[in-house]
Amino acid sequence: MRLACFLFLVAFFAAAHAQEAQGPSFTIDVRAPRELKRLLERDMELRRYREVADLDDAELARLVSSAERNARELVATQGYFDPKIVVRREGAGTGKPVIVVEVEPGRLTHAADTKIEFEGAIAESADKENLAQRDEIERGWRLPRGHAFTQEDWDDAKTHALRQMIQRRYPAGRISYSLADVDAATATANLGLRLDSGPLFRLGAMQVTGMRRYDPVLVPRLARLAPGTVYDQDEIVQAQLRLTGSGYFDTAFIYVDPQGDPKAAPVEVTVREAELHRIVFGPGVSTDSGARLSLEYRNNRVPGIGWQAVAKAQLERKAPFIEAEMKAIPRESGWRWGVLARAERTDDGTLLTHAQRYRVGQTWAGGHIERNVYVQYERATVQASPGVSTASIPDNGDGEAVSVNYVWTGRYFDRMPYPTRGYGLATELGGGITLNGSKSPFSRTVVRWLGIRPLPDGRLQLRAEAGAVIAKPDARVPSTQMFRTGGDTTVRGYGYREIGVDRNGIVAPGRYEAVASIEWQKPIRRAGVETNFEGVTFVDTGAVADRVHNLRPVYGAGVGVRYKSPLGPLEGALAYGFKPKKLRLHFSIGMTF
């Protein structure tokens, strides 16, 4: 009995080995243009039967017959609706058969007319928002006349049009009808699409789960999704980001059920609270300041007042600092009080500045806009490098002042931290009085802009900044209110704060600043697929002076590589500074705006 079992197993494995050694029952030879050849070799149903060992001639003939229809369907997905396809068997009687698939694709079909129709609330109302949304969907149609027609592009165009509708006002929208009428003789496709928006949705009451430790008013005041607000997916995403960025929550998820009551759809918010106390230790490195260590302590509920407090210390070679900030719980208006104290030391190689700053004011953060109004006292003590007296350097930034400031920042990027289009704009307006010498009034204005423009291959990033401090010539304005530039995130090819006003051989801060940059960001592909790496080519320029007509720009240019890390863009660049006539390596992380 045991011998019989043993012999059976030996025979079984021998037969299996023999079948494996025989290899495929037939081979497939696809003769077609390269893009169609890859498609057919990968997706033809014929491939599944190659490993069937006992195919007879009748079964093989049936497979050959059905392969022509299958190949025609696959080729049609790429826009070829009138191909010449021949499938035949070769090699009969000379070994394993070869199934030859010959394809002459013919003319590529292109999109002709497209008719987009609307029904539901979006078609019933003629208000400006409805008209603008319909116009946006029609202008954003991704299969315009003359565009190659493929199944993938057709599906993508329909999905994109639907997404444009449901992301704002109509989350219950759907495609009620679609048709691609292909004329193989003329190689054209007339397209039809009907979008049913369903009813207009407005937000209802907020239902919060996950709150145990913190004040229940935090979520609605941070999210700011008031009942009666028209549904907007982008506003919901921004509300989630405000919740997770507040420090009170590790995660936040907001859901509006498209099957709910459209007149007052419940807003379901699920949060996971952060710990009451948190300590964060972080090492880092940059070419501007070298290696650094940071230590941050966060207390999300200070006893007695319930404010949020954050204390941070950062040790580095050129710009170490220590800072403490406290913020109140936002009021229903969204504004919140805050106080800040900061002490820093900045060593830029020529001047050593010790500065202290004390601030009290209010902040407001919306979906795309941030506002900040505050009163600030600051003091800067400036020392020159060894061997040079600061007395011989007029307007070196040594002084103290009190000022009132307003900061407005708008970010209109399509996504963060890797935008593909959009822009950011920031304005800082301030006015105050110096507390040294003649106690002179002064004003300070800074405007910053960053634009992202998509290109056929990559993106173009444009950056500009201009600043001005207006005061009497003898006013002792603190250096923290004036300007110097140069380094990893401003003008590459120059050292940290290397660009300023030359005062007796020392680079000192100036009262006017202008910085600009143009950068081409090109994806790096592998086998035709985009990777997480990008190549960058850039030209930067900047100037600092005490008078506008004395602004003399200096230039830097170079190339680099960016990596899309979880923490934001990590960039390494090699830049040439045209004024110092030397190369400089730069590293930076994150998108700064």
Side-chain angles (χ1 to χ4, degrees):
M1 181 67 178
R2 292 180 179 176
L3 179 61
C5 290
F6 174 75
L7 292 175
F8 172 77
L9 291 174
V10 170
F12 174 80
F13 284 112
H17 177 72
Q19 179 176 335
E20 181 179 348
Q22 289 177 0
S25 299
F26 58 88
T27 58
I28 303 173
D29 181 12
V30 178
R31 301 171 186 175
R34 180 184 304 174
E35 67 277 7
L36 296 180
K37 179 180 174 69
R38 288 198 299 263
L39 172 71
L40 295 170
E41 288 178 340
R42 185 185 68 237
D43 295 339
M44 281 192 72
E45 293 181 359
L46 200 59
R47 293 182 65 254
R48 296 187 299 163
Y49 296 94
R50 296 173 59 198
E51 306 304 324
V52 179
D54 54 351
L55 282 175
D56 57 28
D57 288 345
E59 290 171 328
L60 195 57
R62 181 183 59 80
L63 291 176
V64 170
S65 176
S66 63
E68 190 271 340
R69 183 177 64 255
N70 179 227
R72 189 174 297 276
E73 292 172 351
L74 289 172
V75 170
T77 66
Q78 302 306 301
Y80 299 99
F81 290 90
D82 191 24
K84 294 180 180 179
I85 299 176
V86 176
V87 182
R88 65 179 180 273
R89 174 180 174 178
E90 293 183 353
T94 60
K96 293 180 181 179
V98 178
I99 307 300
V100 177
V101 181
E102 288 185 341
V103 178
E104 293 181 16
R107 296 167 60 189
L108 177 62
T109 300
H110 290 79
D113 294 330
T114 300
K115 184 178 182 181
I116 301 178
E117 299 176 320
F118 299 92
E119 58 185 13
I122 195 172
E124 297 166 359
S125 173
D127 68 63
K128 291 192 299 182
E129 287 290 334
N130 264 341
L131 295 176
Q133 190 169 3
R134 286 159 54 179
D135 182 62
E136 180 183 350
I137 293 171
E138 291 171 344
R139 286 188 294 104
W141 179 244
R142 293 189 171 183
L143 267 180
R145 171 181 282 272
H147 191 286
F149 177 83
T150 67
Q151 185 64 47
E152 182 180 0
D153 288 346
W154 172 229
D155 292 340
D156 176 69
K158 292 186 292 183
T159 301
H160 179 70
L162 178 62
R163 187 181 298 119
Q164 285 183 294
M165 184 170 68
I166 66 175
Q167 71 181 6
R168 192 171 69 251
R169 299 167 66 86
Y170 305 107
R174 64 184 182 91
I175 297 175
S176 61
Y177 166 83
S178 67
L179 174 67
D181 184 10
V182 177
D183 185 343
T186 60
T188 58
N190 290 298
L191 310 176
L193 179 69
R194 185 180 302 132
L195 298 172
D196 181 0
S197 69
L200 173 69
F201 268 67
R202 294 186 180 275
L203 303 184
M206 185 173 291
Q207 303 169 357
V208 182
T209 58
M211 291 290 290
R212 300 183 312 274
R213 184 179 293 120
Y214 302 124
D215 195 322
V217 303
L218 269 173
V219 170
R221 291 186 182 180
L222 288 170
R224 289 202 299 281
L225 298 173
T229 303
V230 173
Y231 175 91
D232 189 323
Q233 193 174 75
D234 184 55
E235 290 297 326
I236 291 174
V237 171
Q238 293 299 322
Q240 288 182 173
L241 293 175
R242 284 195 295 273
L243 290 171
T244 55
S246 68
Y248 289 105
F249 309 104
D250 290 331
T251 61
F253 179 72
I254 301 177
Y255 176 69
V256 177
D257 187 359
Q259 305 302 320
D261 180 5
K263 295 181 180 179
V267 180
E268 302 173 9
V269 183
T270 304
V271 297
R272 189 176 78 232
E273 294 178 320
E275 294 295 328
L276 183 61
H277 303 277
R278 175 172 291 182
I279 297 177
V280 179
F281 173 77
V285 63
S286 72
T287 46
D288 274 350
S289 56
R292 66 176 180 268
L293 293 174
S294 64
L295 181 65
E296 179 180 297
Y297 166 71
R298 181 184 297 270
N299 185 333
N300 279 330
R301 193 177 63 226
V302 176
I305 59 175
W307 287 25
Q308 183 185 64
V310 179
K312 183 176 182 179
Q314 182 163 296
L315 301 177
E316 59 178 71
R317 181 169 55 89
K318 289 191 174 182
F321 69 86
I322 184 170
E323 178 180 281
E325 183 176 17
M326 296 179 64
K327 295 180 180 179
I329 291 175
R331 303 191 298 278
E332 290 187 7
S333 63
W335 287 93
R336 63 192 304 187
W337 283 99
V339 295
L340 177 143
R342 179 185 175 101
E344 60 188 5
R345 180 180 67 85
T346 304
D347 183 359
D348 49 47
T350 57
L351 292 177
L352 180 62
T353 303
H354 291 85
Q356 299 83 41
R357 184 180 306 158
Y358 305 95
R359 176 185 301 175
V360 58
Q362 297 189 70
T363 60
W364 184 93
H368 297 282
I369 296 173
E370 294 181 10
R371 300 185 181 96
N372 196 349
V373 181
Y374 59 89
V375 177
Q376 179 171 279
Y377 165 81
E378 57 196 308
R379 179 175 61 187
T381 304
V382 182
Q383 299 173 329
S385 56
V388 179
S389 170
T390 56
S392 62
I393 309 174
D395 202 10
N396 60 23
D398 190 288
E400 57 183 319
V402 173
S403 61
V404 178
N405 302 269
Y406 175 76
V407 181
W408 183 96
T409 304
R411 298 179 180 90
Y412 301 93
F413 301 104
D414 59 345
R415 61 187 183 188
M416 293 293 285
Y418 300 106
T420 61
R421 66 178 68 235
Y423 69 95
L425 178 65
T427 302
E428 301 176 22
L429 303 173
I433 186 169
T434 63
L435 301 180
N436 300 88
S438 60
K439 294 183 173 54
S440 302
F442 69 93
S443 67
R444 184 177 189 270
T445 303
V446 178
V447 178
R448 295 184 293 121
W449 177 82
L450 176 69
I452 307 287
R453 298 289 184 270
L455 298 175
D457 190 15
R459 296 173 301 280
L460 196 65
Q461 177 178 287
L462 305 172
R463 175 167 49 88
E465 179 176 332
V469 172
I470 299 175
K472 293 193 300 184
D474 61 347
R476 294 179 58 182
V477 180
S479 62
T480 48
Q481 289 278 0
M482 296 197 292
F483 306 102
R484 289 179 65 176
T485 190
D488 297 341
T489 59
T490 53
V491 184
R492 288 159 288 190
Y494 297 81
Y496 178 58
R497 291 163 52 92
E498 185 180 349
I499 302 170
V501 178
D502 188 345
R503 305 190 196 280
N504 299 331
I506 287 183
V507 180
R511 297 191 177 189
Y512 295 91
E513 173 204 45
V515 174
S517 172
I518 180 171
E519 178 176 292
W520 178 32
Q521 302 168 353
K522 182 182 186 300
I524 296 175
R525 295 178 173 85
R526 183 177 181 182
V529 179
E530 288 191 15
T531 66
N532 285 329
F533 290 89
E534 294 179 332
V536 297
T537 305
F538 57 86
V539 177
D540 298 340
T541 182
V544 175
D546 278 333
R547 291 181 174 83
V548 175
H549 64 268
N550 288 334
L551 287 170
R552 300 288 185 269
V554 296
Y555 298 90
V559 296
V561 176
R562 297 172 78 228
Y563 172 66
K564 296 180 180 179
S565 77
L567 300 178
L570 176 62
E571 181 177 309
L574 185 64
Y576 178 76
F578 288 90
K579 183 177 180 180
K581 297 181 180 180
K582 63 180 181 180
L583 291 169
R584 184 178 290 271
L585 190 63
H586 295 273
F587 289 101
S588 62
I589 186 168
M591 179 183 174
T592 303
F593 191 86

